[in-house]
Amino acid sequence: MIRVLVVDDHDFVRAMVSQALSAARGIEVVGECQDGTAVVSAAASLHPDIVLMDVQMPGMSGIEATRDLTAVCPLVRVLMLTGAVTSRFVTESADAGASGYLVKSGDPKVLVSAVRTVASGGSIWP
């Protein structure tokens, strides 16, 4: 079972992503966070395999949260989820320790496939 923590500042996005993942065989959504400040403590208590991280959030960006998370929980893999692909954010995400970068507007099947790929040690980059 792949354990996933979903991090996004929009309630609707968190709900839809969680629903799509929960419907997939072999994936369990173990928790949700609405901002980057809660990610490290949530990951420490929930023990996810994958964190789906929004890139742009108020307070602490997903890139900053990824840096903090990968420093404290190096075995947790991060898959960035964003509204738009920009070379700057892709580069910063990779530098922060993320294993991939997906656009929110994509097909839910692509999201499920990406989670499986990253959980098995692969990466997903545009």
Side-chain angles (χ1 to χ4, degrees):
M1 185 66 74
I2 301 168
R3 298 171 54 83
V4 179
L5 174 63
V6 178
V7 183
D8 197 290
D9 58 317
H10 294 99
D11 295 339
F12 180 77
V13 172
R14 279 195 324 274
M16 293 299 100
V17 168
S18 293
Q19 181 180 11
L21 293 175
S22 295
R25 188 173 54 241
I27 298 176
E28 176 186 13
V29 176
V30 295
E32 298 178 3
C33 296
Q34 66 182 12
D35 63 50
T37 61
V39 172
V40 173
S41 62
S45 66
L46 297 171
H47 308 288
D49 301 303
I50 303 289
V51 173
L52 278 176
M53 182 87 71
D54 186 12
V55 173
Q56 295 180 299
M57 294 181 286
M60 177 184 275
S61 76
I63 293 168
E64 292 170 305
T66 297
R67 264 190 215 101
D68 290 351
L69 177 63
T70 57
V72 175
C73 303
L75 298 179
V76 175
R77 304 198 28 107
V78 179
L79 180 57
M80 306 305 282
L81 198 57
T82 185
V85 176
T86 68
S87 60
R88 182 181 129 228
F89 287 154
V90 171
T91 301
E92 289 179 5
S93 296
D95 291 345
S99 298
Y101 195 98
L102 285 178
V103 178
K104 292 177 186 178
S105 61
D107 186 327
K109 292 176 188 172
V110 172
L111 173 64
V112 169
S113 177
V115 166
R116 289 186 173 133
T117 297
V118 169
S120 68
S123 61
I124 303 290
W125 296 100

